[in-house]
Amino acid sequence: EVQLVESGGGLVQPGRSLRLSCTGSGFTFGDYSMTWFRQAPGKGLEWVAVIRHKGHGGTIDYAAAMKGRITISRDDAKSIAYLEMDSLKTEDTAVYYCGGGRGSYRTPWGQGTLVTVYS
Amino acid sequence: EVVLTQSPDILSLSAGERATLSCRASQSVNGDYLAWYQQTPGQAPRVLIYGASLRAAGIPDRFSGRGSGTDFTLTISRLEPEDFAVYYCHQYGSAPLTFGGGTKVEIK
């Protein structure tokens, strides 16, 4: 069974950093592009970042709203994707989800991890 | 940036009825890489359809997707009680990846 589990969320003050993890199982992690999404309370879905698999050059793209403050990376040997978030703002408060993809195929998402930035 | 516009915002229907949700893109979606997600309150989004028309694993066949280029549709042939939820379309053919604003299917 394809499964993704996010972790690393929590309460943090503005300006601080946090690293989220997304652990995959049930599929060949290194063959998939990994993507982070988020959903602020009561709002819609928003794309955050994508890191493509090595077959697609391992290229990375970031959403403009967080570019310069986030770094996406992956450790295929451990089947984990990371999202390092710096200089957090109150508007970054959201549930963060990860998802995988290969060609047109999309994996299920994890249950998400809540990041709360409070002042 | 590919802007996705979903309509209607709210769809009020009864169980057993057919639901038709629309997603229109501001430009052609690369590779027809268009997915549909369902979200119920307090739950993570669940992928229903990917590649515009391919049903994800475990998704009942009352859910179907069609379309290409700029116009896409999600159809629920006969609404079950568990289908009342918010539905999002999502294009992943080009960066920045984008979502539509969602359609809420509510009980009439």
Side-chain angles (χ1 to χ4, degrees):
Chain A
E1 178 191 5
V2 173
Q3 191 172 18
L4 293 169
V5 178
E6 302 92 342
S7 60
L11 292 169
V12 63
Q13 292 181 312
R16 303 301 290 264
S17 299
L18 211 55
R19 187 176 81 160
L20 307 182
S21 300
C22 168
T23 304
S25 61
F27 63 105
T28 306
F29 190 88
D31 289 346
Y32 285 68
S33 298
M34 298 304 298
T35 307
W36 285 96
F37 306 92
R38 68 180 181 178
Q39 186 172 36
K43 302 296 184 181
L45 300 173
E46 181 182 14
W47 167 69
V48 174
V50 60
I51 182 166
R52 297 175 183 85
H53 57 85
K54 288 181 180 177
H56 270 186
T59 55
I60 289 170
D61 281 304
Y62 297 114
M66 298 192 79
K67 194 172 185 178
R69 299 190 294 120
I70 57 173
T71 303
I72 190 172
S73 61
R74 61 189 299 158
D75 184 337
D76 290 343
K78 295 182 178 179
S79 298
I80 301 177
Y82 300 100
L83 183 69
E84 183 82 36
M85 302 188 293
D86 301 317
S87 303
L88 283 162
K89 306 175 182 180
T90 55
E91 53 263 41
D92 295 322
T93 294
V95 178
Y96 286 74
Y97 299 100
C98 66
R102 181 181 182 185
S104 67
Y105 172 70
R106 300 293 98 178
T107 72
W109 292 9
Q111 281 303 301
T113 187
L114 176 62
V115 173
T116 304
V117 185
Y118 70 100
S119 56
Chain B
E1 174 175 330
V2 178
V3 177
L4 299 178
T5 302
Q6 291 187 241
S7 61
D9 291 336
I10 301 174
L11 195 53
S12 298
L13 295 168
S14 302
E17 290 192 294
R18 182 184 187 90
T20 303
L21 288 66
S22 173
C23 176
R24 181 160 291 177
S26 60
Q27 57 189 276
S28 186
V29 174
N30 186 32
D32 289 338
Y33 281 6
L34 190 288
W36 289 92
Y37 290 83
Q38 176 196 62
Q39 189 175 33
T40 52
Q43 298 299 311
R46 176 173 75 146
V47 58
L48 302 174
I49 301 288
Y50 60 88
S53 62
L54 301 172
R55 246 187 324 272
I59 301 302
D61 60 7
R62 64 180 181 273
F63 291 93
S64 63
R66 61 181 299 170
S68 66
T70 60
D71 287 296
F72 300 88
T73 302
L74 174 70
T75 301
I76 311 170
S77 59
R78 287 177 54 86
L79 283 164
E80 297 288 341
E82 62 268 27
D83 299 337
F84 292 94
V86 178
Y87 294 83
Y88 295 95
C89 60
H90 166 54
Q91 73 81 20
Y92 51 98
S94 59
L97 284 64
T98 51
F99 287 89
T103 291
K104 182 179 182 180
V105 178
E106 65 175 24
I107 299 174
K108 185 174 182 180

